[in-house]
Amino acid sequence: MNTFSNLVYLVPLLPLIGFLINGLGRKSLSKSLIAIIGSGVILASFAISVGIFFEARHFGANPVIVNLFPFIQTAGLSIPFSFQVDQLSSLFLLIITGVGFLIHVYSSAYMNEEETQHYGRYFAYLNLFVFSMLLLVLGSNFVIMFIGWEGVGLCSYLLIGYWFKNNNYNYAARKAFVMNRIGDLGFLLAIFWILGVLGTVSYTEVFTAEALARFTPTDVTAITLLLFVGATGKSAQIPLYTWLPDAMAGPTPVSALIHAATMVTAGIYMIVRANGLYSLAPTTQGIIAVVGTATLLLAATIAIKQNDIKKVLAYSTVSQLGYMFLALGVGSYTGAVFHVMTHAFFKALLFLGAGSVIHAMHHEQDIRFMGGLKKHMPVTHITFLIGCLAIAGMPPFAGFFSKDEVLAAAYGSDNQILWGLGVIGAILTAFYMFRLYAMTFLGKFRGTHEQEHHLHESPLAITIPLIVLAVLSIVGGFFGIPEVFAANAHSLEHFLDPIIIKGSAEMHHLDHATEYMLMGISVGLALIAIIYAWNRFSKRPELEEQTGAGKVLANKWYIDEVYEAVISRPLLAVAAFSKNFIEKGIIDGIVNGTGRFIQYSGRQIRHIQSGQVGNYILLMVLSMVLMILLLFYGHNMNPVIDWIFN
């Protein structure tokens, strides 16, 4: 019996209902009711998702397809609006609705200062965001996934620009929207390519041995590369990553939702969903591994010199996404999904913890003006510390298990340099996270006397989600216990087995001695970085302006400036030329010139209507003469023309 799986349509439908009620009733509903509706629909979706998750364990390789209605129906083409329930989609349902619910509860207190109608607008957007993400992961074909994909992009635009009276926030929202559209074009082309070859985009028909055999190597490489272009946009990889740090313009719970439970995980999900194709494309996998590694290092170097608490976390997200792409590139699809899951726990925890700090500091986000918050905010402090330990990969926290799996897969690949670079990234992660922790919670308070006087722990609606996420950040890793600790104890791997084609990295487990050595190196070096950062920044926080190489990192390698000079300005120059010369000078000139000519001609011809009968008779006679000439000489006008002009 698939009781819950047959109710899967309710999982996205409930957030959609919440969006409509809060969106339409935002001016009449009270804040309490808005929060109850907004959070309640996500909780109900989570409850159904839990039931689906436990049912999915028994599906094997046969997913449940729930057909809702025909979506595109033409001769030779049928694309249904249907959902696919299997192990992968059920796992993502839990992450999206579970973490999403905690963020909704947190938001009810964090956004309480907003006016009621804006409070309702905020929750309506949040519900729509969750609905779009659920549509993305539940769709049984690429077209439904693309609809959810675009919905997520729209909602991110609305939420990043939530405070729309600030033009800088509007610019950040527009930047996110435009950069995502670049990636979306690649995704769209891939869908058309698949459709052109197979005539279908349904997963159950595309990822069969017979269908995959119809793709030529060129088809496979091109399609996987185009899909990867789409993934780089949503999941913020080089070169389309710069929108994500700027997305911090939105409210902090929105940052948590984008960075942990939705949006940025979409690219990972899409590639894992298409793992049958990617396993046939070694060239694409190599490119993904290189791009992922480059992204994780680039973002980590930037994070070590940022002073905005949310910016540090934003670049850490980009860096952790790089680890996920590294895992995908070396064929460790389970490792990528595992890191998505653990990252959702500790990244949501860290962002919500940062929000708690910002709330207590009266919207101050610069860590140079914090310090010593440990004694004022004990719950926020201890949960934030747990998040830092988890993302730094310290055992037994969740990040240790998933990051170890990614690094082990990189080591087991043909290119062990990727592992070495991954370890460097792990060291940088530990360093910048504990620089952030030490400058925020340790040492002496460096803010104003007014801020210090009002420092306090956040209310329960904020601290309870922190506690729940902290527990998940501790125990979440035990779903993927490596072989070296216990045989056949990797629950997540067994769960995803039916839908994931194992890559070479997953087929061959490292021997225990090698795996212990790899763990020892990465954990040992990260621990040294933690101790150094803890001692260094708790005693001597970095308050001065950066110079030299530090200034380059603080300015994010000047990547935004390079994009501005190489892409934005030339494009704006072309646009200005097109507007001023081609549009105004040529197109408008022709259109307006035609109008002016007709107007001028009309003004001149109207003088013929003078009201004098003699003139009319003269015109009539001349017309008759002209008609006679045309009648007799019309077959050959050349003599007349010659007579007139000669």
Side-chain angles (χ1 to χ4, degrees):
M1 291 292 289
N2 297 324
T3 308
F4 289 102
S5 300
N6 291 328
L7 295 175
V8 68
Y9 64 90
L10 289 175
V11 177
L13 181 61
L14 289 168
L16 181 63
I17 292 171
F19 158 70
L20 292 173
I21 295 174
N22 279 335
L24 297 174
R26 65 187 185 280
K27 293 183 180 178
S28 53
L29 298 174
S30 67
K31 283 186 180 179
S32 301
L33 194 55
I34 288 170
I36 290 171
I37 293 170
S39 305
V41 293
I42 305 299
L43 179 62
S45 292
F46 174 68
I48 300 171
S49 300
V50 171
I52 292 172
F53 178 78
F54 284 106
E55 285 182 357
R57 294 186 303 168
H58 309 295
F59 289 168
N62 301 308
V64 171
I65 305 297
V66 179
N67 285 303
L68 298 178
F69 54 85
F71 183 56
I72 298 176
Q73 197 80 33
T74 63
L77 177 63
S78 175
I79 300 177
F81 198 101
S82 56
F83 294 151
Q84 177 166 321
V85 183
D86 59 15
Q87 292 82 358
L88 184 62
S89 58
S90 65
L91 178 66
F92 272 79
L93 290 188
L94 279 188
I95 296 172
I96 296 164
T97 56
V99 177
F101 169 67
L102 294 173
I103 292 171
H104 275 69
V105 172
Y106 180 98
S107 296
S108 65
Y110 190 85
M111 301 296 289
N112 200 40
E113 294 177 4
E114 295 291 304
E115 293 177 20
T116 303
Q117 62 171 329
H118 294 305
Y119 193 76
R121 179 168 61 89
Y122 171 81
F123 271 93
Y125 289 165
L126 277 191
N127 283 171
L128 187 64
F129 205 154
V130 173
F131 160 76
S132 301
M133 192 64 196
L134 292 170
L135 202 61
L136 189 155
V137 300
L138 277 175
S140 71
N141 57 64
F142 282 110
V143 171
I144 303 303
M145 181 196 279
F146 188 75
I147 294 172
W149 190 275
E150 290 302 303
V152 166
L154 169 66
C155 294
S156 66
Y157 169 79
L158 294 173
L159 284 167
I160 294 168
Y162 170 76
W163 287 306
F164 55 82
K165 291 182 179 177
N166 186 320
N167 278 335
N168 290 331
Y169 296 174
N170 291 333
Y171 174 76
R174 192 168 67 242
K175 183 178 181 180
F177 192 78
V178 170
M179 295 198 85
N180 272 279
R181 297 291 79 68
I182 296 169
D184 295 352
L185 177 62
F187 188 8
L188 200 58
L189 291 174
I191 292 175
F192 281 117
W193 199 308
I194 295 171
L195 206 54
V197 175
L198 300 180
T200 179
V201 286
S202 294
Y203 305 144
T204 52
E205 295 172 352
V206 171
F207 301 124
T208 62
E210 296 77 16
L212 292 175
R214 291 171 61 186
F215 288 116
T216 65
T218 304
D219 290 334
V220 173
T221 304
I223 290 169
T224 50
L225 280 175
L226 288 170
L227 289 175
F228 176 57
V229 170
T232 56
K234 277 287 180 292
S235 295
Q237 296 295 287
I238 292 174
L240 301 178
Y241 72 94
T242 57
W243 69 268
L244 190 57
D246 288 357
M248 297 303 95
T252 303
V254 172
S255 304
L257 194 62
I258 290 175
H259 287 246
T262 63
M263 187 115 178
V264 297
T265 62
I268 315 294
Y269 172 82
M270 183 247 277
I271 291 180
V272 175
R273 174 59 74 190
N275 71 88
L277 267 175
Y278 278 90
S279 297
L280 301 174
T283 303
T284 307
Q285 283 190 308
I287 293 171
I288 292 174
V290 170
V291 171
T293 307
T295 304
L296 78 88
L297 283 175
L298 178 75
T301 56
I302 294 173
I304 63 177
K305 289 296 180 184
Q306 298 305 305
N307 293 319
D308 185 315
I309 188 170
K310 289 175 68 177
K311 281 286 177 69
V312 177
L313 296 178
Y315 279 104
S316 83
T317 299
V318 177
S319 183
Q320 298 305 308
L321 288 167
Y323 277 107
M324 297 170 205
F325 276 89
L326 170 59
L328 295 172
V330 298
S332 178
Y333 302 108
T334 304
V337 174
F338 190 20
H339 204 51
V340 165
M341 186 182 83
T342 61
H343 180 260
F345 300 150
F346 57 70
K347 187 48 61 69
L349 169 61
L350 290 167
F351 262 113
L352 297 186
S356 179
V357 169
I358 294 167
H359 186 261
M361 292 288 298
H362 293 271
H363 307 292
E364 176 61 71
Q365 296 186 196
D366 194 327
I367 57 177
R368 291 175 295 182
F369 303 108
M370 298 181 185
L373 299 185
K374 176 181 174 181
K375 61 183 178 183
H376 300 286
M377 308 179 72
V379 177
T380 302
H381 162 252
I382 193 66
T383 53
F384 198 90
L385 177 60
I386 290 170
C388 289
L389 289 167
I391 196 173
M394 290 294 105
F397 298 92
F400 162 73
F401 293 97
S402 57
K403 194 174 288 185
D404 170 69
E405 186 164 335
V406 173
L407 291 176
Y411 188 85
S413 69
D414 295 334
N415 190 350
Q416 294 180 350
I417 293 174
L418 296 175
W419 170 81
L421 296 175
V423 171
I424 294 173
I427 298 167
L428 292 174
T429 303
F431 177 79
Y432 66 69
M433 284 310 304
F434 277 85
R435 171 181 176 268
L436 172 65
Y437 166 76
M439 289 183 66
T440 304
F441 292 99
L442 305 182
K444 295 180 180 177
F445 184 72
R446 299 181 296 276
T448 63
H449 178 71
E450 179 71 15
Q451 286 172 327
E452 187 173 19
H453 181 68
H454 290 97
L455 281 175
H456 60 278
E457 184 56 276
S458 297
L460 287 177
I462 288 180
T463 54
I464 288 176
L466 295 180
I467 294 168
V468 174
L469 288 167
V471 172
L472 291 171
S473 298
I474 295 171
V475 303
F478 292 98
F479 291 100
I481 298 174
E483 193 76 11
V484 67
F485 290 151
N488 293 320
H490 201 309
S491 305
L492 186 64
E493 185 179 356
H494 298 316
F495 181 71
L496 295 175
D497 249 354
I499 58 162
I500 286 184
I501 296 174
K502 289 190 175 181
S504 57
E506 290 181 319
M507 291 286 285
H508 306 291
H509 289 290
L510 300 172
D511 62 77
H512 290 184
T514 304
E515 197 155 353
Y516 277 126
M517 178 195 72
L518 298 180
M519 286 180 187
I521 292 173
S522 62
V523 172
L525 292 175
L527 187 60
I528 292 171
I530 289 173
I531 294 170
Y532 173 77
W534 188 305
N535 284 323
R536 162 75 170 78
F537 297 107
S538 61
K539 296 173 183 172
R540 290 180 292 117
E542 208 168 38
L543 304 178
E544 65 281 3
E545 291 296 324
Q546 299 295 328
T547 56
K551 186 177 181 180
V552 174
L553 298 180
N555 285 290
K556 302 163 281 186
W557 291 96
Y558 295 100
I559 299 292
D560 281 327
E561 286 76 5
V562 171
Y563 281 7
E564 181 74 19
V566 175
I567 298 174
S568 297
R569 286 180 191 164
L571 282 177
L572 288 174
V574 170
F577 174 79
S578 300
K579 175 187 172 186
N580 296 324
F581 181 72
I582 297 178
E583 185 179 343
K584 289 187 176 178
I586 299 177
I587 298 175
D588 285 0
I590 293 172
V591 174
N592 296 334
T594 303
R596 290 193 188 101
F597 174 74
I598 297 297
Q599 195 177 30
Y600 174 78
S601 301
R603 282 201 304 268
Q604 301 308 313
I605 292 172
R606 70 179 179 180
H607 293 304
I608 296 172
Q609 292 183 319
S610 59
Q612 296 179 5
V613 177
N615 289 341
Y616 294 157
I617 293 174
L618 176 61
L619 285 172
M620 186 171 66
V621 170
L622 290 174
S623 298
M624 291 173 64
V625 171
L626 181 62
M627 289 176 66
I628 291 170
L629 289 173
L630 288 173
L631 180 65
F632 287 99
Y633 299 101
H635 63 285
N636 186 358
M637 294 299 293
N638 288 336
V640 179
I641 295 170
D642 291 341
W643 177 75
I644 292 173
F645 291 101
N646 295 321

